[in-house]
Amino acid sequence: MARSALLNVMVQAALKAGKSLSRDFGEVQNLQVSVKGPGDFVSQADFRAEKIVREELLKARPTYGFLGEEGEEIKGTDGAHRWIVDPLDGTTNFLHGIPQFAVSIALERNGEIVAGVIFNPATDELYTTEKGGGAFLNDRRIRVGARKVLSDCVIGCGVPHLGRGQHGKFLIELRHVMGEVSGVRRMGAAALDLAYVAAGRLDGFWEAQLNAWDIAAGILLIKEAGGFVSDMKGGQEMFENGTVLAGNEYIRKALEEVVNRPVPQA
């Protein structure tokens, strides 16, 4: 695949941060860990990775804005462009030695995501995409799954944990989905879950209480892989309300209907 200069910058930043994360992953028991909130850990690995990504991106495009999980937002003088970065998506997996985590980088132009990179250094899998240019895994073009009925599908989800509300609401959604699908998976890294939808590994995905940096790159990856992404109500306010629902044309729509199914009254 031919990459633009900007996508090459993003790839190099992700690979460099990934090397840092790989070293820390090998020393996971020795990491200095602080508690950011109940059940929400942040490590020195997060900060190191974000510093690397920020420096690499802003060195290449110093006028662009920067929104990352671990630091304050940088307002760029450019006005039109902003990097949206999660330096370590799947922090809890990382700290428990589970190799399901990633660096996620997206480029926003005038409010629209135009490029994305998701890199899992533990598996050496690099997902890349540009608007109008398709979606790729290690330079191999990927497409969303072709299944058309939920009963054939494996669906990914996020599960609210300690410190996150709406446990009861999620359990209702899960009960509805469980009765319709072949399997449900919770892997613990939303960026990779979306990448898996783009690659056809998961047929669909839904989650609430997400941030822009969790989903920005994955949203474009799915669209460029021929898929569809919406918020939980079928709209396009994923960043505004922190919800996401994804799949191919048929599965996204069917999943939307199931997760929003009314609870039967006793």
Side-chain angles (χ1 to χ4, degrees):
M1 61 167 289
R3 294 179 184 152
S4 70
L6 274 174
L7 188 59
N8 276 326
V9 167
M10 296 165 70
V11 167
Q12 291 309 309
L15 294 178
K16 191 170 181 179
K19 287 182 180 179
S20 175
L21 290 174
S22 292
R23 287 192 295 269
D24 285 332
F25 191 60
E27 300 287 337
V28 70
Q29 298 301 324
N30 299 322
L31 285 175
Q32 300 176 45
V33 179
S34 60
V35 178
K36 190 165 58 175
D40 189 7
F41 300 103
V42 62
S43 71
Q44 293 303 312
D46 266 305
F47 291 108
R48 276 193 289 271
E50 180 160 314
K51 183 174 184 291
I52 289 168
V53 173
R54 185 174 61 248
E55 289 177 351
E56 290 292 309
L57 295 179
L58 295 183
K59 179 173 64 178
R61 295 293 189 274
T63 63
Y64 287 12
F66 185 95
L67 175 65
E69 181 179 11
E70 304 307 339
E72 292 186 6
E73 182 175 0
I74 299 171
K75 299 290 187 180
T77 57
D78 173 281
H81 294 86
R82 179 173 67 159
W83 303 110
I84 303 176
V85 173
D86 192 340
L88 176 51
D89 184 54
T91 306
T92 302
N93 282 348
F94 183 89
L95 294 177
H96 285 78
I98 301 170
Q100 186 75 358
F101 58 89
V103 182
S104 177
I105 304 172
L107 176 60
E108 182 183 60
R109 177 179 296 138
N110 294 320
E112 181 182 18
I113 304 302
V114 295
V117 172
I118 298 171
F119 177 52
N120 182 350
T123 59
D124 202 30
E125 290 191 331
L126 175 69
Y127 297 86
T128 56
T129 186
E130 290 184 273
K131 182 174 173 56
F136 297 84
L137 167 55
N138 292 344
D139 292 335
R140 177 179 59 82
R141 187 180 286 273
I142 54 176
R143 297 284 297 177
V144 294
R147 295 177 180 88
K148 295 184 179 181
V149 293
L150 282 175
S151 58
D152 294 333
C153 292
V154 172
I155 303 296
C157 67
V159 178
H161 49 73
L162 179 66
R164 296 287 183 96
Q166 298 187 311
H167 292 189
K169 182 177 183 296
F170 169 77
L171 289 174
I172 293 169
E173 294 169 358
L174 180 62
R175 184 175 71 190
H176 289 161
V177 174
M178 285 167 56
E180 300 284 348
V181 303
S182 178
V184 179
R185 301 288 183 268
R186 196 291 196 247
M187 301 184 188
L192 284 176
D193 289 329
L194 295 175
Y196 278 23
V197 173
R201 294 175 175 178
L202 292 173
D203 297 291
F205 177 77
W206 93 98
E207 187 170 359
Q209 296 182 285
L210 293 164
N211 297 294
W213 49 77
D214 298 314
I215 59 177
I219 286 172
L220 182 62
L221 196 72
I222 290 173
K223 290 178 177 179
E224 288 296 323
F228 292 78
V229 187
S230 72
D231 59 33
M232 236 53 141
K233 297 299 183 180
Q236 290 297 304
E237 297 183 349
M238 290 83 75
F239 290 178
E240 290 81 2
N241 62 37
T243 69
V244 68
L245 202 155
N248 66 26
E249 179 182 5
Y250 305 97
I251 299 308
R252 194 220 60 80
K253 184 177 180 181
L255 193 58
E256 179 191 336
E257 293 174 357
V258 172
V259 298
N260 291 298
R261 184 178 294 164
V263 179
Q265 297 300 312

